[in-house]
Amino acid sequence: MTTQISLVREHTEKMNPPRALWVPFELGRPIGAPDEPVFQRRVVEAALALFAEPEGPVLAEFPDDAPGGTSGDMSGWVCPVNLTPPAEDVAPDGALAAVLAEIDQLRPWYQVALEKRGRTTVGLSGLDIDAAVKLLADFMDDQSIASPREDIALPQLLKFASDDIKAWYFEAATAQPGPSGGAVLNDWYWQDTAAGAMVRRLAAICRTLDGGMMQLLGHKALVPRTHEHLVQDI
């Protein structure tokens, strides 16, 4: 007998497992918010309770949102710097300058995070943060450029560099005092930073290119589904 917890209802409906509990939580948090053991136990017990169903397949819904909510409420969250709202039609050189300016402002907070945690999730691309940003800007300007790393194809390196930039921003932001849930950080990054605007623009460019990997980047791999509506076709 099997049961499971599902974060993406559409996937579960297609796989049609014997028993599944769909939960309305953020990706990566299948039992809700951290440090909430009572709530987490409720989720696990709800999934186990599906064993009592007389027959399947069963797809049940968990009735409550996780503590703290996932609406992106930014009240109480203090941005470490006042970032200039990003423009959508900035040329590659302008986008590069805007993102590097943000990084200069956020760099002290990233250092605080690094010293506090003693580790970082940045580093997939093998490029330093400025070089990762420059790679994206260079590609936006000229889609025929070669990968600066012989061991990683350009589409994969663009994905790694984009992930590094996002991780760098998130680590810098979470070093500051105040609440900083995943939904809040995602809204801040994708809507209010020049870096988020750059990656959205990169996704739009990839959608215009031939080749499965570039199409995958443009439609699936660069911008999360929660914010893909912000990608403006070109």
Side-chain angles (χ1 to χ4, degrees):
M1 297 177 70
T2 60
T3 186
Q4 72 176 61
I5 295 173
S6 168
L7 285 162
V8 183
R9 187 184 182 97
E10 296 94 325
H11 293 175
T12 307
E13 289 174 343
K14 289 183 178 181
M15 291 187 292
N16 202 28
R19 301 165 195 82
L21 175 71
W22 176 75
V23 293
F25 309 151
E26 296 177 44
L27 292 179
R29 293 185 173 180
I31 55 175
D35 301 320
E36 294 286 347
V38 174
F39 184 86
Q40 292 171 353
R41 184 182 180 92
R42 282 186 55 213
V43 176
V44 173
E45 288 178 341
L48 295 176
L50 297 181
F51 286 133
E53 294 290 336
E55 60 182 14
V58 176
L59 177 55
E61 294 187 6
F62 191 76
D64 302 319
D65 288 332
T70 57
S71 63
D73 180 12
M74 299 185 71
S75 61
W77 189 71
V78 183
C79 187
V81 291
N82 293 318
L83 303 179
T84 302
E88 292 293 338
D89 56 351
V90 177
D93 56 345
L96 175 62
V99 178
L100 292 180
E102 283 185 348
I103 287 174
D104 283 343
Q105 292 178 287
L106 291 168
R107 200 179 303 273
W109 286 102
Y110 177 77
Q111 291 300 322
V112 169
L114 194 59
E115 293 169 6
K116 180 180 179 180
R117 297 162 186 159
R119 59 181 175 82
T120 181
T121 59
V122 179
L124 273 174
S125 67
L127 306 173
D128 64 47
I129 191 64
D130 291 0
V133 173
K134 188 175 186 304
L135 172 65
L136 268 56
D138 287 346
F139 179 80
M140 290 167 61
D141 185 48
D142 179 5
Q143 288 80 62
S144 66
I145 65 170
S147 171
R149 289 191 54 175
E150 295 182 356
D151 58 329
I152 302 180
L154 183 60
Q156 188 68 68
L157 192 58
L158 290 171
K159 167 62 174 169
F160 286 169
S162 299
D163 287 347
D164 277 345
I165 295 167
K166 179 184 174 184
W168 196 97
Y169 270 67
F170 274 38
E171 290 181 19
T174 55
Q176 62 174 306
S180 53
V184 174
L185 288 172
N186 270 303
D187 285 346
W188 169 72
Y189 180 75
W190 291 111
Q191 297 176 10
D192 300 331
T193 72
M198 171 183 270
V199 179
R200 298 199 316 264
R201 181 70 172 177
L202 174 65
I205 291 173
C206 289
R207 292 180 180 185
T208 68
L209 302 177
D210 295 330
M213 285 301 297
M214 288 301 180
Q215 286 292 316
L216 180 63
L217 283 178
H219 288 280
K220 300 289 185 182
L222 291 176
V223 180
R225 185 176 62 173
T226 53
H227 292 81
E228 66 182 358
H229 61 282
L230 298 173
V231 178
Q232 297 185 357
D233 293 333
I234 57 176

